[in-house]
Amino acid sequence: MTALELRTAGESHGPAMVCLVEGLPLGMPFDLDFVNAELRRRQRGYGRGARQRIEEDAAEVLAGVRQGRITAGPLAIAVRNQDRRLDDPVRTPPVTRPRPGHADLAGSLKFLSTDCRDVIERSSARETAARTAGGAAARCLLREFGIEAFGFVRGAIDVFTSARPTPENWRDLRAIRDASEVGVPDPEASERLASRIREAKEAKDTVGGLIEVHVFGAPPGLGACGAGLERLDARIGAAVLGVQAIKSVEIGMGAEVARHRGSEVHDAIRLDPARRATSSLGFERQTNHAGGLEGGMTNGMPIVITAAMKPISTLLRGMPSVDLATGEPQTSAYERSDVCAAAAASVVLENVVAFEVARAFRAKFGGDSLAEVRAQVDAYLAMARGLTTVP
Ligand code: EPS
């Protein structure tokens, strides 16, 4: 079974968020400390609301791990909620004034309910705790093959860092990002962005963010060119847009490609024998406008994804809305919420993008055990390197 799949379950204020991952190879090391570090990182960030002072997210492995390694069965992880009040009608009163931008109105109409709470318990971004756990688990496989993901906040409003991650500097940038309270790998931009978030909070308003994910070390040939939805661009795009509050996804140069001619957009190819051992197999590019993906497949260059997150849709100041129970014009409801969750979303996106790379990796190399996967990868890389004779 080589199809890697991830499902989640759980309500925001129910007993737990749950993640089921099928298709990890037997014998793969499962690094619980790494998964927990990702869960804790997802909780951080300046602008997060009071809920994160209640929760202490940690992965509880329910199935699929034996003595630190993946078994033959699916992996099941629970992240327990501390704030459990799903069945308490007093602490979960009906929400009848939908928040513009939230799932409230569309969901209430879809499920024929005037209580938006029926919808928001599941649409809540709390669900991303489960997806982060599953993505981090899949990264334990990628790391065995030197494939690493790095997500960060580029900025918001009028503050954007010009940091440029490369295979050589991304670990240094990661250390700077981890020291930033807003997830930006640039101390000066971090401070300015924190001020923007503080200003928004004072104005009872909210902030979104521009987020980037770079994946280093992926070999060429992951993905598909012949089946639209199996193109790795399509899978990554869907996974990114599947994260709450994400409104756009771009690959490499993204929408900018429309403003330039082909000669300025496409990344010229040259063969560098000294770099045959790297993920490019020696097929080097001076630029990476394609963002590591050509024809729906990895080309050996870093995968580069940019996503825009909308500002949090729960505004303390409210927005014009309608009471679903009475039909009267009303200010939208306020529920405890975040002012900015871009740093958290950058952790989620790092893990969901990595999951899609892991999925494509499993599809290409197959194998039921880690030993078998390793043999397949080695055989493929040897064949790919032997394809072109170095002059
Ligand atoms: C969210 C609303 C808030 C956030 C939540 C996402 O939850 P609560 O109403 O319980 O304060 O805290 O995010 C998380 C709980 C989390 O762990 O990320 C929403 O409406 O999506």
Side-chain angles (χ1 to χ4, degrees), residues 36-93:
N36 280 333
E38 289 302 280
L39 285 174
R40 294 314 301 265
R41 213 159 64 76
R42 193 201 69 89
Q43 290 198 267
R44 288 184 44 228
Y46 183 70
R48 292 286 260 159
R51 177 80 185 268
Q52 299 313 318
R53 292 199 288 277
I54 301 170
E55 302 298 337
E56 281 194 21
D57 291 350
E60 187 183 334
V61 176
L62 303 177
V65 179
R66 178 171 168 254
Q67 296 172 0
R69 292 188 179 268
I70 293 294
T71 64
L75 172 69
I77 293 176
V79 180
R80 301 269 169 205
N81 293 325
Q82 300 303 318
D83 186 354
R84 296 174 209 170
R85 54 183 151 99
L86 191 63
D87 288 326
D88 181 341
V90 178
R91 294 178 65 223
T92 54

Side-chain angles (χ1 to χ4, degrees), residues 252-322:
M253 201 177 188
E256 268 298 300
V257 295
R259 299 182 189 278
H260 298 270
R261 291 185 176 170
S263 57
E264 295 162 350
V265 168
H266 302 304
D267 307 305
I269 305 168
R270 78 189 162 85
L271 186 55
D272 180 352
R275 297 194 48 90
R276 293 292 262 176
T278 70
S279 65
S280 76
L281 308 182
F283 292 99
E284 291 292 313
R285 321 287 184 106
Q286 286 294 306
T287 56
N288 185 20
H289 297 147
L293 290 162
E294 289 174 314
M297 300 164 289
T298 51
N299 62 10
M301 294 293 284
I303 300 171
V304 182
I305 308 296
T306 305
M309 179 188 201
K310 67 187 175 188
I312 296 289
S313 41
T314 310
L315 273 63
L316 193 51
R317 68 203 281 178
M319 295 240 338
S321 184
V322 170

Side-chain angles (χ1 to χ4, degrees), residues 12-13 42-43 48-52 55 57 83 85 99 102 120 123-129 244 314 335-338 344:
S12 178
H13 304 98
R42 193 201 69 89
Q43 290 198 267
R48 292 286 260 159
R51 177 80 185 268
Q52 299 313 318
E55 302 298 337
D57 291 350
D83 186 354
R85 54 183 151 99
R99 294 158 290 180
H102 214 283
I120 63 183
S123 66
S124 167
R126 175 88 189 131
E127 184 265 348
T128 60
Q244 290 82 342
T314 310
E335 288 269 303
R336 178 186 64 194
S337 190
D338 308 303

Side-chain angles (χ1 to χ4, degrees), residues 228-247:
L229 293 179
E230 283 309 311
R231 285 173 170 257
L232 190 51
D233 325 42
R235 292 291 312 192
I236 289 176
V240 168
L241 290 171
V243 173
Q244 290 82 342
I246 300 300
K247 294 302 273 186

